[in-house]
Amino acid sequence: MDLELGWLKDFIAVIDAGGFSRAAESRHVSQPALSRRIRALEEWLGTPLFERNTHSVQVTPAGRSFRPFAEDMLRRVEAGRERVLETAQATSESVQFASTHVLSQRFFPNWIRKIQSREPGITIQLFAANMSICERLLIDGEVHFLLAYDHPATPTRLQASRFHSIILGREHLIPVSVPREAGSSVPRFELPGSAREPLAYLTYHSGSGVGRILDGFLKTREKSSALVPTFTGPATLLAEMALDGAGLAWLPTVLIHQELATGRLVHAGSPAWDVAVEIRLFRPRSRLKKSAERFWTQAKAAALRDEGAAG
């Protein structure tokens, strides 16, 4: 029996979905068909990948150890396909990016223009999504690069053993609120709040990279803050909700610098509540196609120049 690449995608889908039925939906096949393909993969490997004797599907130790190899095989096949197309056709110079939403709107345009001025002739394709989707696109080899916020204390799926990254900039996530009165610098929702009067907290979706960073930060401040989540959404919508006086939100300064300058939003706490983050560009350690490698070289050089200028 020969291995089929679709089996590897099915295997990863079952893990990510936490079960066969949701995985079948995401793979656009029936559940019996998906189960047969997983069985075929297990027969090919010679060992079970999932425990099926409980209500929820559990990955076996063998399944956990096989996942990075499955992801690597899919990425290598995609890289090989691109290399063959480059050699045979030499027509596509496009470079694919995944970026989280705020950075795609507020950071990417100016940054990409600087790189393209030194590496003309490369077509850029950008996919904007939340961090979970962006990670999946990079891991699956569907994009060459990922632009995202990063914090040293927040884990990601992009382990340093498998992915390179460089720092492109630094940013702060700051808690903001409308002022208590027009023209005042006193916030309506002021940290840390109290158990008697907890603060309305505007939060991020679970797949958000900023949301992960804030969750980790707030765990270190659990005993010193009183927050009640009242709304969940993306950063741009949280900014609008904060401006409407619906609560406080931690937002990137690049998104709200005008509102801070005009006093429409004010700090909701002392600088101790600010969260320093990095803007990072990630890529696989495996070799990319020529145009992507040329782009990476220019991106690293630009980052070094920016660091030198800042120093």
Side-chain angles (χ1 to χ4, degrees):
M1 187 189 319
D2 295 327
L3 175 66
E4 295 182 13
L5 292 178
W7 298 349
L8 302 179
K9 295 180 179 180
D10 295 337
F11 163 65
I12 294 170
V14 173
I15 297 177
D16 288 345
F20 283 79
S21 60
R22 288 193 295 271
E25 291 178 7
S26 69
R27 294 286 291 149
H28 305 291
V29 297
S30 67
Q31 183 173 339
L34 181 76
S35 297
R36 287 194 298 270
R37 281 146 60 161
I38 294 296
R39 290 286 188 190
L41 177 60
E42 290 174 324
E43 290 175 11
W44 185 83
L45 288 168
T47 186
L49 298 173
F50 298 97
E51 296 285 354
R52 299 173 174 84
N53 56 357
T54 60
H55 292 296
S56 61
V57 174
Q58 300 293 326
V59 187
T60 64
R64 286 194 294 273
S65 67
F66 180 64
R67 176 170 185 160
F69 292 97
E71 291 174 338
D72 189 58
M73 279 189 279
L74 289 170
R75 188 169 56 250
R76 285 176 179 271
V77 167
E78 180 61 27
R81 175 179 174 272
E82 289 186 352
R83 186 67 57 85
V84 168
L85 289 175
E86 281 183 20
T87 303
Q89 302 171 18
T91 57
S92 175
E93 287 291 298
S94 66
V95 175
Q96 286 81 41
F97 285 81
S99 173
T100 51
H101 289 290
V102 171
L103 290 175
S104 72
Q105 299 167 5
R106 304 295 175 130
F107 179 86
F108 187 83
N110 289 333
W111 172 76
I112 202 68
R113 278 196 293 270
K114 290 194 301 182
I115 307 300
Q116 284 184 308
S117 68
R118 293 177 175 270
E119 191 61 53
I122 294 179
T123 302
I124 303 299
Q125 295 182 340
L126 176 66
F127 304 89
N130 66 31
M131 184 60 172
S132 293
I133 294 174
C134 288
E135 285 175 327
R136 169 52 51 203
L137 289 171
L138 187 65
I139 290 170
D140 284 352
E142 295 182 32
V143 296
H144 302 108
F145 302 107
L146 164 57
L147 179 66
Y149 287 120
D150 186 62
H151 189 280
T154 303
T156 74
R157 300 178 61 190
L158 308 177
Q159 301 93 335
S161 61
R162 298 172 57 200
F163 295 91
H164 288 297
S165 70
I166 54 176
I167 299 174
L168 303 182
R170 290 175 171 82
E171 171 74 286
H172 281 86
L173 308 174
I174 63 172
V176 293
S177 160
V178 292
R180 189 172 296 173
E181 298 175 355
S184 169
S185 62
V186 178
R188 182 183 302 175
F189 303 94
E190 186 170 10
L191 288 164
S194 66
R196 179 177 296 179
E197 296 184 9
L199 303 175
Y201 173 37
L202 310 175
T203 69
Y204 291 82
H205 289 295
S206 58
S208 162
V210 172
R212 290 184 199 170
I213 292 170
L214 288 175
D215 285 347
F217 171 75
L218 289 175
K219 284 179 181 177
T220 69
R221 311 297 297 268
E222 283 181 338
K223 295 181 180 180
S224 60
S225 63
L227 303 173
V228 175
T230 58
F231 184 84
T232 299
T236 52
L237 184 54
L238 297 187
E240 292 296 327
M241 295 293 289
L243 284 166
D244 285 342
L248 72 86
W250 269 263
L251 296 168
T253 51
V254 69
L255 186 63
I256 53 169
H257 60 89
Q258 290 184 343
E259 288 76 10
L260 290 171
T262 59
R264 296 177 65 201
L265 289 174
V266 297
H267 271 73
S270 71
W273 292 97
D274 295 354
V275 184
V277 294
E278 298 167 342
I279 301 171
R280 280 189 177 267
L281 185 68
F282 295 87
R283 59 154 290 177
R285 284 186 173 270
S286 56
R287 186 164 181 81
L288 302 174
K289 66 181 185 179
K290 291 181 181 179
S291 56
E293 289 292 350
R294 292 203 313 270
F295 189 95
W296 177 252
T297 299
Q298 291 295 345
K300 287 196 298 182
L304 287 173
R305 288 194 298 272
D306 291 344
E307 185 178 352

